Amino acid sequence: MDARKHGSMSSTVLGSQAAVAPAARRSVPLPRVWSITGRDIVAILVTNGVFIGAMWVRHGGLEQVATPGGAWIAIGQVTGLLGTYLALLQLVLMSRMPWLDQAFGMDRLAAAHRWIGFATVWLIAAHGFFIVSGYATSEGASLVGETWTILTTFDFVALATFGFGLFVVVGVTSMRAARRVVNYETWFALHLLAYLAIAFGFLHQLLVGADFLHDPLARIYWTSLYALTFGLLLAYRVIGPIRLNLRHRFRVARVVAEGEGVVSIYITGRDLDRLPLRSGQYFVWRFLDGPRWWSGHPFSISSAPNGAWIRTTVKALGDDTRRYQRLAVGTRVLLEGPYGVLTGIRRTRRRVTLIAGGIGVTPLRALVEALPGRPGDVTLLYRARQPKHVIFRNELDVLAERRGIKVHYLVGRRGSVDLPDDPLDAFGLTGLVPDIADHDVYLCGPNEMMDRLTETLGNLGVPGSRIHVERFAY
Ligand SMILES: Cc1cc2nc3c(=O)[nH]c(=O)nc-3n(C[C@H](O)[C@H](O)[C@H](O)COP(=O)(O)OP(=O)(O)OC[C@H]3O[C@@H](n4cnc5c(N)ncnc54)[C@H](O)[C@@H]3O)c2cc1C
């Protein structure tokens, strides 16, 4: 329910935007809305899984279960096939395909990717264990002896075992305890090992896998699955971003301090009025300002698209975000995206409440400007610990006045003299927005605040389908 063209929403120059404001705002196309739903996608994935199982039965998988050794081998084959399927699915979930993003949102995709990743490691471990046990039982050999025989006799088994080791490294470094000590970049670099592991797995499957050896249909099917997966990654993670950046050639136009450790970065480029973009979305940004240019970070756009410049607002939380506070005008920028579904397409009700915590105000600031509505339809609750942490105050006040948006600044530490009661508990929320049960609610802030709010909103009668969330950390 975004207005069809953002650019026509307002021609007003707001607050700090004045510095690089266009003479007149231009229309911006909106990204395509895909008709495929999350349910359709799950159905496609399940059908694929069933088909893989059916192919295994077709080439005699079930006939093996007549003997104890054969039964172990059958379990080993099924866990191997499922583990491989999930490993490919892992990559597809992170391919940044627009219809996956639209159906689920990147944070839910990342959560699914995480759990499917752990399942993949266990299934592949089970595959190795059951296959070795099956052959050991059939041949009356010891587990250790059989492991050695299989490792040294069959092509690519040793390499696939090494690949499994890489999967374990990826899995262990993704556990919560490890994530707390391993920095994001190291964790991400280790994650790339999964591609190598999958390549080794493919060679193993090609040369010794029961599916490949005995069933031409399965061979074609599996090869197509691998090709499709890598094709999607190539299209959306490599070719798409290259085309976007060659076309628009983004550069930093201005860096404006918004508050303590927070800057707005304005970028310009060619044909920005042809870049489909929606308020509430984000890009992955790479600033070509030195040796760490390769490190990309997601940042939301913090004002409605206007066809002349794009703005994001960044809080200094780590090494890179501290560096971005001092970016030079003219610095080249590589963008990937836009991504994200904290946008008007999720809206189902006329009335909307936006709840921001800290720097989570950035996408909501853009939505405040862009969401269509009559005066009183849109309410912003903006939570900050201290007055100095409130950014965009002038802009929000101008928008509140001009568009009839209700803005409540909820500033102070919970339990302090300024804020003795929690303004975002059930009592506080219904005091601020009495009919909130009938609203769409957009949330962006610290995870802990959003988890608490999701529960409170549920208790107040707002169904999950009307709570729209963007997580800045996952
Ligand atoms: C969808 C989304 C939109 C965001 N929008 C904004 C915004 O508009 N303004 C803003 O200030 N911040 C935003 N963030 C958060 C911002 O991306 C991180 O603060 C930033 O990446 C930290 O980088 P750093 O190297 O300075 O800090 P680090 O110390 O390296 O990281 C601090 C934390 O940020 C997270 N992080 C770091 N790099 C990435 C990455 N590439 N992808 C995902 N998470 C990462 C990790 O959880 C890490 O623990 C957003 C995050 C997401 C996921």
Side-chain angles (χ1 to χ4, degrees):
M1 287 176 79
D2 266 356
R4 269 306 306 160
K5 299 277 184 184
H6 284 298
S8 60
M9 294 295 304
S10 159
S11 60
T12 317
V13 174
L14 294 166
S16 58
Q17 296 175 14
V20 286
R25 291 188 166 211
R26 283 172 263 162
S27 295
V28 174
L30 295 173
R32 177 170 173 184
V33 177
W34 302 82
S35 51
I36 192 161
T37 65
R39 268 192 201 167
D40 299 335
I41 294 169
V42 171
I44 293 171
L45 295 177
V46 171
T47 309
N48 254 298
V50 171
F51 193 71
I52 287 168
M55 282 191 299
W56 175 77
V57 173
R58 194 178 87 95
H59 59 243
L62 269 181
E63 287 154 25
Q64 304 168 93
V65 298
T67 63
W72 290 129
I73 292 172
I75 297 174
Q77 288 171 348
V78 171
T79 50
L81 290 172
L82 265 182
T84 312
Y85 179 49
L86 291 191
L88 292 179
L89 181 57
Q90 292 273 84
L91 299 187
V92 173
L93 292 185
M94 290 293 104
S95 66
R96 308 236 163 101
M97 225 190 321
W99 44 271
L100 268 182
D101 180 28
Q102 187 197 292
F104 300 107
M106 287 296 174
D107 45 358
R108 283 169 73 198
L109 289 173
H113 171 83
R114 181 180 157 75
W115 288 110
I116 292 174
F118 292 130
T120 305
V121 174
W122 283 110
L123 283 167
I124 293 178
H127 164 68
F129 174 77
F130 285 115
I131 291 283
V132 172
S133 304
Y135 282 114
T137 308
S138 306
E139 289 160 20
S142 71
L143 266 186
V144 176
E146 192 59 39
T147 304
W148 181 251
T149 309
I150 289 181
L151 274 176
T152 51
T153 315
F154 294 102
D155 290 332
F156 287 107
V157 173
L159 209 56
T161 309
F162 178 64
F164 170 67
L166 297 181
F167 264 133
V168 172
V169 171
V170 173
V172 169
T173 51
S174 298
M175 290 163 78
R176 295 237 183 269
R179 283 299 305 277
R180 277 193 282 274
V181 284
V182 179
N183 74 25
Y184 184 88
E185 281 78 16
T186 312
W187 168 79
F188 185 77
L190 286 171
H191 237 69
L192 298 181
L193 294 175
Y195 289 93
L196 203 59
I198 288 174
F200 290 157
F202 177 63
L203 291 175
H204 165 67
Q205 203 178 0
L206 189 68
L207 294 173
V208 288
D211 256 43
F212 275 85
L213 290 180
H214 308 303
D215 189 343
L217 172 69
R219 204 176 313 142
I220 293 170
Y221 189 78
W222 274 101
T223 309
S224 311
L225 277 188
Y226 278 93
L228 182 69
T229 303
F230 284 95
L232 289 174
L233 287 170
L234 194 67
Y236 292 108
R237 296 206 68 158
V238 182
I239 297 173
I242 290 176
R243 283 183 55 197
L244 178 81
N245 288 283
L246 283 179
R247 170 149 197 213
H248 297 291
R249 299 181 178 275
F250 306 103
R251 278 185 192 276
V252 172
R254 194 171 170 87
V255 180
V256 177
E258 297 284 1
E260 199 178 70
V262 181
V263 290
S264 279
I265 302 167
Y266 293 77
I267 60 164
T268 51
R270 276 197 326 216
D271 297 335
L272 289 193
D273 55 342
R274 305 232 180 112
L275 171 61
L277 181 58
R278 236 178 249 281
S279 290
Q281 289 196 296
Y282 67 92
F283 289 96
V284 174
W285 302 63
R286 288 185 175 79
F287 296 97
L288 307 193
D289 64 335
R292 279 187 59 83
W293 68 268
W294 51 268
S295 152
H297 293 277
F299 298 116
S300 309
I301 57 165
S302 62
S303 62
N306 57 48
W309 43 264
I310 297 171
R311 182 179 79 170
T312 188
T313 301
V314 176
K315 180 168 182 172
L317 284 177
D319 292 346
D320 286 336
T321 42
R322 265 194 287 278
R323 202 181 86 233
Y324 300 157
Q325 311 283 310
R326 301 181 300 274
L327 283 172
V329 169
T331 303
R332 290 287 303 272
V333 188
L334 299 181
L335 293 189
E336 240 184 88
Y339 305 121
V341 282
L342 192 78
T343 65
I345 62 166
R346 284 282 157 98
R347 184 174 178 184
T348 60
R349 295 294 163 116
R350 186 164 66 83
R351 299 197 171 204
V352 175
T353 298
L354 313 167
I355 309 181
I359 193 64
V361 72
T362 45
L364 303 186
R365 155 65 187 81
L367 283 173
V368 161
E369 192 178 349
L371 282 179
R374 284 183 255 157
D377 281 353
V378 179
T379 303
L380 171 69
L381 309 181
Y382 182 2
R383 180 83 181 85
R385 288 237 175 104
Q386 295 181 40
K388 66 179 180 185
H389 294 154
V390 175
I391 57 171
F392 303 138
R393 186 151 199 155
N394 292 343
E395 296 179 18
L396 288 170
D397 289 346
V398 172
L399 284 168
E401 166 114 21
R402 185 148 302 141
R403 303 205 57 223
I405 285 160
K406 297 182 215 157
V407 180
H408 298 278
Y409 299 97
L410 311 167
V411 184
R413 280 184 186 277
R414 267 187 294 156
S416 68
V417 194
D418 297 334
L419 210 63
D421 302 312
D422 183 353
L424 297 180
D425 65 10
F427 187 71
L429 278 177
T430 41
L432 293 163
V433 190
D435 59 344
I436 196 160
D438 198 35
H439 284 217
D440 271 301
V441 184
Y442 287 68
L443 305 179
C444 191
N447 280 350
E448 187 253 325
M449 173 186 132
M450 291 199 291
D451 291 342
R452 222 170 347 108
L453 269 168
T454 305
E455 197 183 323
T456 309
L457 288 165
N459 294 338
L460 290 174
V462 186
S465 58
R466 276 199 270 124
I467 303 175
H468 317 296
V469 171
E470 185 74 270
R471 289 183 186 273
F472 277 9
Y474 43 79

